[in-house]
Amino acid sequence: MLVRFWGTRGSLAVAPTAGAIKGKIAKALVAAGGRRFADEAEATAFVEGELDFATGATYGGATTCVEIEASAGDGSFILCDFGTGSREFGISAFGRMAGGHKRVFNVFMSHLHWDHIGGFPFFGPAFDPNSHIVIHAGHEDVEQAFRRQQEEISFPVAFDWLRAKIEFKVLAPGETYRIGGLDVEVMEQHHSHKSYGYRFTDPTGKTAVFSTDSEHKIESMEGEADVANFFRAADLVICDTMYSLADAVSMKEDWGHSSNIVAIDICHEAGAKRLALFHHEPIYSDEDIQRMHKESIRYEELTRRDDPLEVLCAYDGLEVRL
């Protein structure tokens, strides 16, 4: 199973400012210490080998979109959420379909807020008459949400102008479905208008959990046993860690999101193997996110029970093979 991250920000798509880029260049020049590079390849080796991630790269600014490529599925694309990252995914999908990939998309929606559906009007395969898109959700009003964002007052291309075959299927929490060659379990989560988490298991037994936009409170962890069970022994848990613990328990309490600390606690309880910090706060800089990642790794080490939990930090373009 291969997991590709096409969009990892939460709430709002963001782009790096001119000031942020200047800062990265200035730090890189200082780190180079006056060295000269023969060509771009040598300079790239320096960036990749000697600069920290926040200076030499970026966590990205596209909103939620994650692809799951099963090692033994039915050949369809498996996607989680239609955030703005789905535009880039669509471009990649066209290239793969030209090479013979099946033109079927099974898409699983966590919920229907703008940052999770806003990429759909720019999703190229939706305009392809040979594509078949099946949108799975726990919400009865899923089709209404997708149609409404493409009404004339909001967008110039009406939903009915799309050429692909598009279906909507409502899934029930607590059930296990066979979709795209995977076993898919669904869990209801605590968020405005509800959200849903998904647990994907491929025929080889590899499991990835997609759980974003869910608030887990540190003062009521005894009530999270159902979540820990949903995460049980997962090879990868993609979890909403939008806020630092300080933000989560103060001014942003009850905003529907969780912290890195709580995610680690639940994954420890679940015996999960890897955690991907996800749904990054749009006001956090690359340095802020990198600092949270380092703090998360340290917290995991201090609170580890038995086997270690690998803590990754998701970024646009990350690939994780399970």
Side-chain angles (χ1 to χ4, degrees):
M1 182 183 285
L2 179 65
V3 180
R4 294 188 180 95
F5 292 84
W6 294 97
T8 57
R9 286 279 177 172
S11 296
L12 181 70
V14 294
T17 64
I21 297 299
K22 288 178 184 177
K24 289 176 183 285
I25 294 172
K27 289 180 180 178
L29 290 172
V30 171
R35 276 181 285 178
R36 297 179 64 86
F37 303 103
D39 51 32
E40 287 189 16
E42 190 173 308
T44 298
F46 161 73
V47 170
E48 294 178 347
E50 299 187 43
L51 295 183
D52 61 86
F53 188 86
T55 301
T58 181
Y59 291 95
T63 60
T64 308
C65 183
V66 176
E67 178 188 3
I68 296 175
E69 186 176 302
S71 55
D74 71 351
S76 64
F77 290 101
I78 305 293
L79 197 68
C80 297
D81 280 353
F82 267 124
T84 60
S86 62
R87 185 186 69 86
E88 286 291 333
F89 164 72
I91 294 171
S92 171
F94 270 130
R96 285 182 268 171
M97 290 189 297
H101 195 290
K102 193 173 182 180
R103 291 175 178 261
V104 177
F105 299 81
N106 280 296
V107 185
F108 297 85
M109 298 302 305
S110 64
H111 64 309
L112 308 175
H113 288 163
W114 286 340
D115 52 323
H116 296 259
I117 66 174
F120 181 73
F122 303 92
F123 182 58
F127 296 84
D128 173 22
N130 296 313
S131 289
H132 181 194
I133 302 170
V134 186
I135 300 174
H136 306 270
H139 302 82
E140 296 282 350
D141 53 357
V142 56
E143 183 172 355
Q144 177 187 354
F146 275 80
R147 287 183 170 275
R148 187 169 57 187
Q149 79 166 337
Q150 290 188 237
E151 291 177 356
E152 187 176 4
I153 194 172
S154 301
F155 197 75
V157 180
F159 186 91
D160 287 333
W161 292 1
L162 302 175
R163 302 291 304 283
K165 179 182 178 181
I166 302 173
E167 295 183 79
F168 295 89
K169 294 188 177 181
V170 178
L171 306 181
E175 299 292 332
T176 300
Y177 300 87
R178 187 74 169 178
I179 302 172
L182 304 178
D183 288 333
V184 183
E185 300 172 58
V186 187
M187 174 183 67
E188 183 178 321
Q189 303 178 140
H190 181 64
H191 193 72
S192 174
H193 198 64
K194 297 181 182 178
S195 71
Y196 294 86
Y198 298 92
R199 180 183 173 96
F200 303 94
T201 304
D202 74 8
T204 70
K206 294 296 183 181
T207 297
V209 173
F210 178 72
S211 174
T212 191
D213 292 70
S214 182
E215 184 165 7
H216 311 291
K217 296 186 177 183
I218 196 165
E219 70 272 16
S220 57
M221 292 298 288
E222 67 279 358
E224 300 291 347
D226 58 334
V227 180
N229 182 58
F230 197 74
F231 291 3
R232 65 191 182 281
D235 295 284
L236 175 66
V237 174
I238 303 164
C239 192
D240 182 333
T241 56
M242 189 167 184
Y243 304 136
S244 67
L245 181 61
D247 281 349
V249 301
S250 58
M251 59 182 176
K252 295 179 180 178
E253 186 176 10
D254 296 322
W255 283 24
H257 300 285
S258 293
S259 74
N260 53 333
I261 300 303
V262 169
I264 291 168
D265 287 346
I266 296 175
C267 283
H268 273 162
E269 182 67 27
K273 298 177 179 66
R274 286 175 175 169
L275 165 67
L277 308 179
F278 187 72
H279 204 268
H280 308 310
E281 162 65 57
I283 67 170
Y284 286 178
S285 67
D286 286 322
E287 287 186 345
D288 293 331
I289 297 171
Q290 180 172 266
R291 182 166 51 252
M292 180 186 284
H293 185 202
K294 290 180 178 179
E295 291 170 353
S296 300
I297 291 172
R298 181 58 178 155
Y299 179 77
E300 190 282 325
E301 292 171 346
L302 292 172
T303 59
R304 184 179 300 163
R305 301 178 183 180
D306 299 306
D307 295 329
L309 169 70
E310 182 181 357
V311 181
L312 311 172
C313 193
Y315 60 85
D316 298 3
L318 174 66
E319 293 188 353
V320 179
R321 187 172 294 278
L322 307 181

